[in-house]
Amino acid sequence: MTVEVKSLTKIYQVGSSEELAVDSIDFEIGANEFFTLVGPSGCGKSTTLRCIAGLETPTSGQILVDGEDVTQTAPNNRGLAMMFQDIALYPHMNVVENIAYPLKVRGVDKTERQERAREVAELMQIPELLNKYPGELSGGQRQRTAIARTIVYNPSALLMDEPLSDLDAQLKVEIRKEIQRIHERAGVPTIYVTHDQSEALSMSDRIAVMNDGHVMGIGSPDELYESPENTFVAAFIGNPSINLVPATLGDGGGDRVTVDLGGEATERELTEGRPVGTDVEVGIRPERVDVLPDPDAGKLTGTLELIERIGDRRLATVDIDDGEIRALNLSTDTLAEGSTVSVAFDWADVHLFDGESGEALAHPIADVQRNEPTESV
Ligand code: ADP
């Protein structure tokens, strides 16, 4: 089964003003694909998902399920199952009744629905909870019950809106795996909404990054990380976030240009020509930047402001003339906060973006195309 979103626009009427929540977006979700909508709060993810589910009526545009236009079809006739952040199990029903409820609504007889609910509870590894009431369950158990209820009637697609946001870190990891297992097993597309880019990267086949009602970029986790099409996607995907340093295009002009940064210049090929003097932003992932104690050894000199521990890594923030650079490779253990240091990176690792539009002009040069051994200074 496939789901297509075509020129979807949703405008909410708020009093006498209009709120443009989703602005003419397009994407297509393939059979069995795990597809995630990610972006900051308020960017239109939930609205998009609710339009697909049929819980909101689009202002314009279409939703196609398997090529068939379902834009005007009632939610329960779309064959899609939706799970929300707010789990809302029925408190007066026990677990088996909660799980079986969607079947009851569809007129399935009692024996069959109880049997099916037991099967799904087994799948979600909660068979021992069947006679308990929601008030007696832990957060994780409620989540598993809610997932079981979502998949009980073999929906043709699973829609999930921030299903993990109320869980603690450990449970998140556990239920995340559970959702992926269910997705694989159900063999149907899953459309997943989250504001958490790391969740999106770890779970998805493909991701649409949204901002302000627009889709800013769409692709596999690797594509979005390695060749983001603009600064928004570059900055949103990856943690710690990519460094963006202003620079200017020098000699050459057109599509082979030099980039000047910190007195050093390199020649790069652009996807689209730009004149000499164009303002650009040089993007470098923190994982590709080294901090050296010798102020003159690297490309840029600055003050080491801060060293933070992130899991098993250390993140350095270096203040430079044009802002700050964050680096995950610290050359020695003895770097002192407050000291003058330099940052080093390989030109082949940088992205270039148009300074005005944010559009990508060049991405890192693939290892196979680098004709010289990488030299990190
Ligand atoms: P997200 O899921 O990315 O946080 P939403 O889709 O919930 O974003 O919201 C997108 C925009 O639409 C926001 O500006 C939000 O305030 C607005 N919005 C969402 N739902 C409604 C509603 N029912 N009425 C009015 N405005 C809404």
Side-chain angles (χ1 to χ4, degrees):
M1 213 210 57
T2 59
V3 176
E4 253 176 282
V5 169
K6 283 188 160 176
S7 310
L8 176 70
T9 296
K10 177 67 184 177
I11 299 170
Y12 291 107
Q13 203 67 44
V14 187
S16 58
S17 63
E18 292 187 334
E19 171 75 37
L20 176 59
V22 176
D23 189 2
S24 191
I25 63 169
D26 293 275
F27 54 79
E28 194 174 335
I29 301 146
N32 304 350
E33 200 171 27
F34 198 113
F35 186 86
T36 299
L37 297 169
V38 72
S41 177
C43 70
K45 309 179 292 291
S46 292
T47 301
T48 303
L49 196 69
R50 292 172 64 83
C51 286
I52 297 171
L55 301 170
E56 296 287 355
T57 308
T59 307
S60 60
Q62 290 175 307
I63 310 293
L64 307 184
V65 172
D66 260 348
E68 191 191 329
D69 188 342
V70 299
T71 320
Q72 304 303 328
T73 307
N76 52 1
N77 292 333
R78 295 190 185 195
L80 315 172
M82 175 129 172
M83 183 177 156
F84 300 94
Q85 172 180 354
D86 175 10
I87 305 170
L89 297 174
Y90 301 109
H92 59 285
M93 294 184 194
N94 65 18
V95 167
V96 73
E97 288 163 342
N98 261 290
I99 298 176
Y101 190 73
L103 299 176
K104 189 175 178 182
V105 177
R106 285 168 175 76
V108 176
D109 75 54
K110 189 166 180 184
T111 322
E112 192 183 332
R113 58 180 198 251
Q114 297 237 332
E115 199 174 305
R116 178 76 188 132
R118 284 204 168 81
E119 265 171 44
V120 182
E122 198 83 46
L123 188 65
M124 288 310 301
Q125 298 159 8
I126 48 167
E128 73 287 0
L129 302 178
L130 289 176
N131 296 318
K132 295 208 168 175
Y133 285 83
E136 302 171 280
L137 305 179
S138 70
Q141 291 169 335
R142 277 205 296 277
Q143 209 76 17
R144 284 169 190 269
T145 306
I147 298 174
R149 189 178 60 181
T150 309
I151 59 176
V152 72
Y153 61 96
N154 297 325
S156 46
L158 300 173
L159 314 184
M160 300 196 177
D161 192 349
E162 303 257 7
L164 306 180
S165 55
D166 290 340
L167 302 180
D168 64 43
Q170 199 184 338
L171 257 180
K172 254 185 199 167
V173 174
E174 209 175 289
I175 303 285
R176 204 188 263 183
K177 279 198 214 125
E178 212 64 75
I179 290 174
Q180 284 179 296
R181 195 168 64 88
I182 293 299
H183 164 77
E184 303 267 309
R185 214 181 146 114
V188 297
T190 295
I191 312 175
Y192 189 91
V193 162
T194 180
H195 64 276
D196 180 344
Q197 59 89 35
S198 73
E199 205 167 286
L201 287 176
S202 74
M203 296 178 86
S204 320
D205 296 318
R206 268 188 328 134
I207 300 170
V209 181
M210 291 186 70
N211 187 38
D212 210 11
H214 299 276
V215 171
M216 303 300 291
I218 204 160
S220 68
D222 283 352
E223 285 163 351
L224 294 179
Y225 178 84
E226 283 159 18
S227 20
E229 56 193 88
N230 49 54
T231 44
F232 185 85
V233 175
F236 196 82
I237 297 291
N239 183 34
S241 198
I242 194 168
N243 295 294
L244 291 169
V245 185
T248 312
L249 294 185
D251 286 346
D255 48 18
R256 276 197 84 79
V257 295
T258 56
V259 194
D260 296 311
L261 193 68
E264 199 187 333
T266 186
E267 195 178 74
R268 283 300 290 270
E269 209 156 309
L270 306 186
T271 48
E272 223 180 86
R274 287 289 187 281
V276 172
T278 300
D279 287 335
V280 291
E281 287 195 271
V282 177
I284 325 158
R285 298 258 175 219
E287 39 280 51
R288 294 293 187 169
V289 185
D290 296 352
V291 179
L292 311 174
D294 178 350
D296 301 318
K299 286 190 172 55
L300 299 168
T301 303
T303 309
L304 178 56
E305 275 304 311
L306 186 67
I307 297 179
E308 299 161 82
R309 187 162 278 289
I310 303 186
D312 60 350
R313 302 184 298 180
R314 290 187 305 154
L315 173 68
T317 304
V318 179
D319 268 4
I320 57 163
D321 283 348
D322 281 320
E324 59 178 37
I325 298 239
R326 303 205 292 167
L328 279 170
N329 302 316
L330 280 58
S331 63
T332 74
D333 284 339
T334 53
L335 286 165
E337 286 177 349
S339 64
T340 304
V341 295
S342 62
V343 292
F345 55 86
D346 188 327
W347 278 112
D349 285 330
V350 308
H351 303 253
L352 291 180
F353 300 96
D354 187 292
E356 207 165 305
S357 66
E359 190 189 332
L361 299 173
H363 291 300
I365 298 164
D367 285 339
V368 285
Q369 291 167 0
R370 300 181 191 197
N371 41 22
E372 287 171 9
T374 52
E375 194 188 316
S376 192
V377 175

